[in-house]
């Protein structure tokens, strides 16, 4: 289980690319909108002491000067009246679940509720269900138990901008020159508000000023909006327990993107943050009740260990923080999952991994991504051998790495990421992205049984097969089933994989056993889709390529070690051994090809080789760290948790191997180490330190654990 409770977690509306991030000590959380990191704001959550009137015990989520006070010297700040102090760490408890995150300290409880819901298809769903799912709001409920005190006590929830340039955007929600619409809250510009949901006789007072110490002790409400600190303050009568409720509201009107015009889909119903706030206030009780549990009790799986459950819950929180549901000019929905801190749009390496989660929750979002790539971010290339990059051979259709970055949709046929002339980071991933589209499409077809999609895309699916075959070799006599040729877009460079910052053991694409596995799985998946569509010749070609690939992998086993080198067909055996050699075994389960995983089936020898490989490398000094955590490559300390989760599923459910619980304990320790907790869930961990892919959505591969033992 988690060794600390002080880690950031994202609490997000679905599809709003917004987050109330909380958990790291100091001004390290707050209310972020369209950013790839926490907002770094002071968050004030506190209760007046029962024994020291005028002194407030606070949760420790503040510490930086607010607004213009950031320009003051420490000596000037220290002269101000200090009426706040932190609850002792030992007095603070946290209960962390998929939809609810509750903090308790003394007589105070602070609960955040955010949705984990299936997203209805905007093209077919009823408006009411869409509104309730896509409302850009997170709810907060505070409980104060003052039943043992004969004195009134004040409670506070607020925040400070920590940015002197944003001081003058803070305002009161009551003030609207068109009408007095009875909202009680605080806001920042047109995009953010915290409003009270307490109905008639509301005990909450909205206040704006320069510092929290002044706002909690004012004898009456100020009328000024000047200052970088805003707070909601209530007085709890003596000998009573009170529940105080808030809605944290986000909104962005107008066009949200460049390159291709799109706005947030929620603008269909709410034109500004005030309208969002009204809907939240009016529907608070009903929505909080509905949002307290994930749809279909998702994530509530008894066989998960505490360490697994923590990682799954933590990953789901960060996934939703990166989601963005937009509407194009033609009224069609455009589903986006941003790439965490990098903010790249619908990175195709992530689309294929998110598919396990999204096909469980809302398959239409997978189809939406597939169609978007097919329509605007596919391209045609040629291929060449690494030995002679000037001799171009027929290639075919493939797909870009992403669709843009930071709300800018990249030009058709190009990504924001990929560049020519390179052999490592930022080079092209043409073959892997081709397999990613194929595998995602075939998983979608298997789950949805969408005959219309197959009919519309059958021509493209056939082209994908030929393109993948050509990346082995256009000449049938030279084929091995494994990718050997680079895209002409590399212009003499070399293709890479999703493991872009790793060494050649996982970074190089050509003749890499990780990519070979994805080619094998792609051929199997294509064979089924094409045979079901009566495309017999193409299905036979796919079957032949799958056989070739498996035979090539089996023949590549090193005679001395009985292991598969990370890179095959090299003049001297490649020294690295990699866990992701087994990764692609997951896909036959989800593409209707379980027959390929039978112990006595067509690929029995391939499975035996991969099982022996896995058993041999999952040892300290090869692919295990000293703490028991998984090391994806024997030659690198660079690991991706999302891929570890996926490979753990394969090891348990396909290779039927037990996994030492120390591994999950180590992975939790990575996520909750002090140097990593700021970033909520992170993917790329190098020797225990999150150095890339932070604030990241990809950890929902852990949803696969919920499918074990027949669940979901």
């Amino acid at each position: 289980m988690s060794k600390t409770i002080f880690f950031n977690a994202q609490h997000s509306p679905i599809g709003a690319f917004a987050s109330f991030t909380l958990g790291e000590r100091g001004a390290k959380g707050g209310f972020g909108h369209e950013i790839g990191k926490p907002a770094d704001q002071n968050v004030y959550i506190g209760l007046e002491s029962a024994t020291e009137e005028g002194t407030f015990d606070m949760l420790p989520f503040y510490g930086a000067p607010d607004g213009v006070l950031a320009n003051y010297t420490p000596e000037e700040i220290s002269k101000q009246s200090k009426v706040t102090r932190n609850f002792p760490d030992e007095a603070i408890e946290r209960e962390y679940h998929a939809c609810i995150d509750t903090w308790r300290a003394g007589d105070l409880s602070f609960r955040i509720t955010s949705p984990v819901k299936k997203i209805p298809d905007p093209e077919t769903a009823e408006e009411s269900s869409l509104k309730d799912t896509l409302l850009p709001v997170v709810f907060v409920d505070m409980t104060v138990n003052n039943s043992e005190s004969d004195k009134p006590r004040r409670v506070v929830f607020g925040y400070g901008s920590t940015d002197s340039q944003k001081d003058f955007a803070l305002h009161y929600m009551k003030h609207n020159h068109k009408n007095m619409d009875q909202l009680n809250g605080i806001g920042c510009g047109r995009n953010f508000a915290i409003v009270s949901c307490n109905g008639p006789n509301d005990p909450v007072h909205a206040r704006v000023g320069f510092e929290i110490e002044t706002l909690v002790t004012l004898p009456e409400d100020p009328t000024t909006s000047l200052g970088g600190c805003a707070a909601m303050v209530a007085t709890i009568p003596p000998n009573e327990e009170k529940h105080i409720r808030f809605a944290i509201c986000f909104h962005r009107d107008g066009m949200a993107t460049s390159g291709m015009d799109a706005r947030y889909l929620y603008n269909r119903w709410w034109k500004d943050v005030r309208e969002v706030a009204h809907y939240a206030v009016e529907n608070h009780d009903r929505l909080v009740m509905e949002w307290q549990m994930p749809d279909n009790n998702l994530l509530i799986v008894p066989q998960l260990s505490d360490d697994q459950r923590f990682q799954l819950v933590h990953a789901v929180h960060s996934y939703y923080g990166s989601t963005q549901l937009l509407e194009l000019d033609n009224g069609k929905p455009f589903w986006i999952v941003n790439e965490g801190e990098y903010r790249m749009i619908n990175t195709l390496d992530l689309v294929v991994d998110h598919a396990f989660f999204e096909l469980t929750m809302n398959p239409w979002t997978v189809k939406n991504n597939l169609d978007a790539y097919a329509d605007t971010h596919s391209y045609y290339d040629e291929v060449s051998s690494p030995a002679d990059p000037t001799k171009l051979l027929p290639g075919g259709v493939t797909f870009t790495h992403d669709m843009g970055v930071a709300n800018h949709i990249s030009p058709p046929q190009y990504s924001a990421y990929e560049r020519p002339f390179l052999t490592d980071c930022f080079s092209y991933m043409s073959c892997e992205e081709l397999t990613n589209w194929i595998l995602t499409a075939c998983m979608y077809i298997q789950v949805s049984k969408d005959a219309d999609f197959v009919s519309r895309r059958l021509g493209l699916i056939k082209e994908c097969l030929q393109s993948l075959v050509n990346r082995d070799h256009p000449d049938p006599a030279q084929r091995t089933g494994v990718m050997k040729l680079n895209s002409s877009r590399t212009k003499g460079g070399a293709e890479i994989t999703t493991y872009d910052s790793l060494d050649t053991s996982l970074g190089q694409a050509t003749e890499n056993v990780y990519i070979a596995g994805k080619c094998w799985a792609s051929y199997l998946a294509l064979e089924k889709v094409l045979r079901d569509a009566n495309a017999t010749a193409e299905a036979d070609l796919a079957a032949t390529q799958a056989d070739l690939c498996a035979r090539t992998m089996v023949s590549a086993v090193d005679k001395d070690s009985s292991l598969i080198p990370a890179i095959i067909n090299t003049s001297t055996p490649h020294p690295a051994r990699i866990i992701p050699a087994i990764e692609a075994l997951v896909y036959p389960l989800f593409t209707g090809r379980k027959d390929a995983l039978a112990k006595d089936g067509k690929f029995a020898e391939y499975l035996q080789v991969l099982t022996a490989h896995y058993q041999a490398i999952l040892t300290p000094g090869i692919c295990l760290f000293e703490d028991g955590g998984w090391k994806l490559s024997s030659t690198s300390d660079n690991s991706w948790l999302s891929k570890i989760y996926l490979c753990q599923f394969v090891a348990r459910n396909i290779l039927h191997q037990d996994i030492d619980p120390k591994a999950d304990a180590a992975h939790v320790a990575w996520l909750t180490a002090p140097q990593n907790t700021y970033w909520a869930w992170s993917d790329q961990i190098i020797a225990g330190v999150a150095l890339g892919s932070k604030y990241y959505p990809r950890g929902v591969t852990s949803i696969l654990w919920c499918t074990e033992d027949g669940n979901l």
Side-chain angles (χ1 to χ4, degrees):
M1 294 183 65
S2 171
K3 299 296 190 296
T4 178
I5 62 172
F6 295 108
F7 53 84
N8 265 341
Q10 294 183 252
H11 308 91
S12 303
I14 296 173
F17 198 11
S19 176
F20 174 26
T21 299
L22 194 72
E24 179 83 350
R25 291 183 183 88
K28 299 299 178 67
F31 310 100
H33 198 194
E34 298 183 340
I35 58 176
K37 61 183 288 295
D40 293 342
Q41 295 168 335
N42 290 313
V43 179
Y44 299 113
I45 304 162
L47 175 64
E48 189 173 12
S49 169
T51 57
E52 299 177 52
E53 184 177 349
T55 297
F56 283 74
D57 294 308
M58 311 288 289
L59 293 177
F61 306 132
Y62 65 102
D66 291 321
V68 296
L69 295 183
N71 299 321
Y72 289 17
T73 67
E75 291 76 17
E76 290 172 318
I77 294 172
S78 67
K79 293 178 182 177
Q80 301 173 49
S81 170
K82 294 296 181 183
V83 298
T84 61
R85 65 188 181 193
N86 289 349
F87 283 106
D89 284 358
E90 61 272 17
I92 303 173
E93 300 175 352
R94 185 179 192 179
E95 190 175 344
Y96 183 48
H97 300 289
C99 302
I100 295 174
D101 191 5
T102 304
W103 295 84
R104 297 184 181 91
D107 295 325
L108 175 67
S109 173
F110 183 88
R111 185 184 71 190
I112 309 167
T113 303
S114 55
V116 176
K117 293 179 63 65
K118 296 183 177 184
I119 309 167
D121 185 343
E123 297 194 85
T124 60
E126 293 182 0
E127 181 178 283
S128 59
S129 63
L130 274 171
K131 290 173 72 174
D132 286 354
T133 303
L134 300 176
L135 179 68
V137 161
V138 171
F139 290 110
V140 163
D141 291 76
M142 299 180 76
T143 299
V144 176
N145 184 359
N146 200 32
S147 59
E148 300 295 321
S149 175
D150 57 1
K151 296 179 181 179
R153 297 163 73 189
R154 287 163 290 184
V155 62
V156 60
F157 172 42
Y159 80 107
S161 70
T162 72
D163 181 348
S164 61
Q165 300 306 308
K166 293 184 179 179
D167 265 15
F168 307 110
L170 294 175
H171 57 80
Y172 300 100
M173 294 300 292
K174 275 184 182 176
H175 300 166
N176 183 344
H177 286 277
K178 290 186 178 179
N179 55 69
M180 295 296 287
D181 55 13
Q182 303 306 308
L183 285 173
N184 180 19
I186 50 181
C188 185
R190 299 177 61 86
N191 301 325
F192 175 74
I194 301 174
V195 295
S196 173
C197 302
N198 296 290
N201 304 313
D202 190 348
V204 175
H205 297 263
R207 294 176 172 181
V208 175
F210 288 111
E211 57 178 354
I212 191 65
E213 290 85 359
T214 300
L215 297 187
V216 296
T217 55
L218 284 173
E220 60 183 39
D221 292 343
T223 57
T224 177
S225 294
L226 190 62
C229 181
M232 305 291 279
V233 182
T235 299
I236 310 302
N239 307 119
E240 290 189 20
E241 181 176 84
K242 282 284 188 182
H243 305 282
I244 304 172
R245 307 169 302 175
F246 301 100
I248 298 168
C249 308
F250 300 92
H251 188 275
R252 177 172 176 177
D253 59 7
M255 292 301 168
T257 58
S258 56
M260 182 169 66
D261 287 345
R263 62 175 189 162
Y264 281 94
L265 193 136
Y266 56 61
N267 279 287
R268 287 183 181 181
W269 312 293
W270 305 294
K271 71 176 185 295
D272 58 29
V273 76
R274 302 184 74 87
E275 292 190 356
V276 171
H278 275 295
Y279 191 88
V281 170
E282 292 162 6
N283 294 278
H284 170 278
D285 292 356
R286 178 178 61 84
L287 290 176
V288 168
M289 184 65 67
E290 291 178 6
W291 290 5
Q292 284 182 359
M293 295 290 285
D295 272 4
N296 291 356
N297 290 331
L298 181 76
L299 317 185
I300 303 174
V301 183
Q303 82 267 14
L304 295 186
S305 69
D306 288 340
D307 286 328
Q308 287 180 304
R309 189 173 295 106
F310 170 80
Q311 291 175 92
L312 173 59
V313 165
H314 205 32
V316 168
H317 276 275
S318 282
Y319 165 83
Y320 280 117
S322 286
T323 62
Q324 197 171 21
L325 181 52
L326 305 179
E327 185 174 50
L328 301 174
D329 277 350
N330 61 8
K332 298 289 187 181
F334 181 26
W335 173 252
I336 291 172
V337 181
N338 292 277
E339 195 183 346
E341 64 169 330
Y342 305 133
R343 294 184 60 192
M344 280 180 280
I345 296 169
N346 286 338
T347 301
L348 193 48
D349 332 357
L350 275 66
V351 168
V352 69
D353 288 336
H354 295 159
F356 301 111
F357 183 80
E358 293 185 9
L359 288 172
T360 299
M361 297 295 285
N362 23 260
W364 76 266
T365 60
V366 177
K367 180 177 69 171
N368 189 271
N369 284 169
L370 290 167
D371 281 336
Y373 267 100
D375 292 342
T376 63
H377 283 75
S378 58
Y379 63 92
Y380 291 83
D381 65 357
E382 296 175 291
V383 294
S384 64
S385 166
D388 186 3
T390 62
K391 183 181 179 181
L392 296 179
L393 302 169
V397 69
T398 187
F399 304 87
T400 60
H401 167 272
D402 58 74
M403 303 183 74
V405 64
N407 285 12
H408 176 73
I409 312 301
S410 57
Q413 304 179 40
Y414 288 91
S415 69
Y417 176 96
E418 293 160 305
R419 305 175 187 180
F421 310 114
L422 301 175
T423 59
D424 49 20
C425 263
F426 304 111
S427 187
Y428 276 82
M429 301 184 189
S430 305
C431 183
E432 183 168 12
E433 304 305 5
L434 175 60
T435 66
N436 288 338
W437 194 92
I438 291 169
L439 292 167
T440 305
C442 293
M443 287 193 288
Y444 171 74
I445 292 167
Q446 176 65 21
V447 169
S448 69
K449 312 302 182 188
D450 187 341
D452 175 70
F453 179 83
V454 175
S455 176
R456 287 190 297 108
R457 296 302 182 190
L458 185 59
L460 177 58
I461 290 168
K462 291 178 180 179
E463 286 190 74
C464 286
L465 170 63
Q466 190 59 55
S467 179
L468 190 58
V469 169
N470 286 346
R471 289 162 209 281
D472 175 357
H473 206 284
D475 178 3
Q478 299 188 56
R479 290 175 189 161
T480 62
V482 174
M483 176 220 176
K484 297 190 292 292
L485 306 178
N486 286 309
S487 171
S488 56
R489 283 209 172 181
T490 64
K491 296 188 182 298
E495 284 189 45
I496 59 171
T497 78
T498 190
Y499 297 101
D500 53 1
S501 58
L502 217 138
D503 62 18
T504 57
S505 65
L506 272 167
Q508 175 182 317
T510 52
E511 299 193 281
N512 186 294
V513 295
Y514 159 69
I515 294 295
K518 294 185 83 167
C519 291
W520 173 79
S522 296
Y523 288 129
L524 289 173
L526 286 168
E527 181 193 357
K528 182 179 190 308
V529 170
L530 291 165
R531 209 170 294 287
D532 289 348
N534 297 314
T536 304
E538 290 88 348
D540 289 345
L541 174 59
T544 298
Q545 284 295 109
D547 291 349
L548 271 174
C549 183
R551 290 203 300 270
T552 298
M553 297 280 277
V554 169
S555 66
V557 173
D558 181 69
K559 300 289 190 293
D560 296 328
S561 65
S562 298
L563 300 175
I564 309 174
I567 309 294
I568 62 176
N569 294 331
T570 55
S571 55
T572 58
H574 196 280
R577 305 293 183 263
I578 59 172
I579 292 175
I582 71 170
E583 181 179 320
L585 292 176
V586 71
Y587 298 110
L589 277 181
F590 293 89
T591 56
R593 292 305 311 267
K594 290 182 182 180
D595 61 290
L597 303 174
K599 287 184 177 180
D600 56 354
K602 187 176 183 180
F603 299 103
E605 188 176 8
Y606 180 42
L607 290 169
Q608 290 166 6
V609 163
L610 289 178
T611 302
H613 174 84
Y614 168 84
Q615 290 172 335
I617 65 174
L618 205 69
T619 57
I622 302 180
C623 287
L624 279 183
F625 289 103
E626 290 184 4
D627 60 5
W630 280 25
K631 196 169 183 278
L632 290 177
S633 170
S634 63
T635 56
S636 175
D637 287 344
N638 201 341
S639 278
W640 274 257
L641 279 172
S642 64
K643 295 297 195 177
I644 290 173
Y645 299 163
L646 199 163
C647 289
Q648 286 181 320
F649 172 82
V650 169
R652 272 193 298 265
N653 290 270
I654 297 170
L655 302 183
H656 307 292
Q657 302 295 303
D658 293 331
I659 296 175
D660 190 335
K662 284 176 60 179
D664 287 318
H667 303 151
V668 170
W670 296 355
L671 289 169
T672 57
Q675 65 269 31
N676 301 332
T677 49
Y678 171 78
W679 291 103
W681 193 90
S682 294
D683 203 2
Q684 188 181 352
I685 311 289
I686 302 178
V689 180
L691 292 179
S693 302
K694 296 171 285 192
Y695 220 53
Y696 216 61
R698 199 181 199 171
V700 289
T701 51
S702 53
I703 194 65
L704 287 165
W705 299 340
C706 296
T707 69
E708 299 179 25
D709 299 329
N711 287 286
L712 289 189

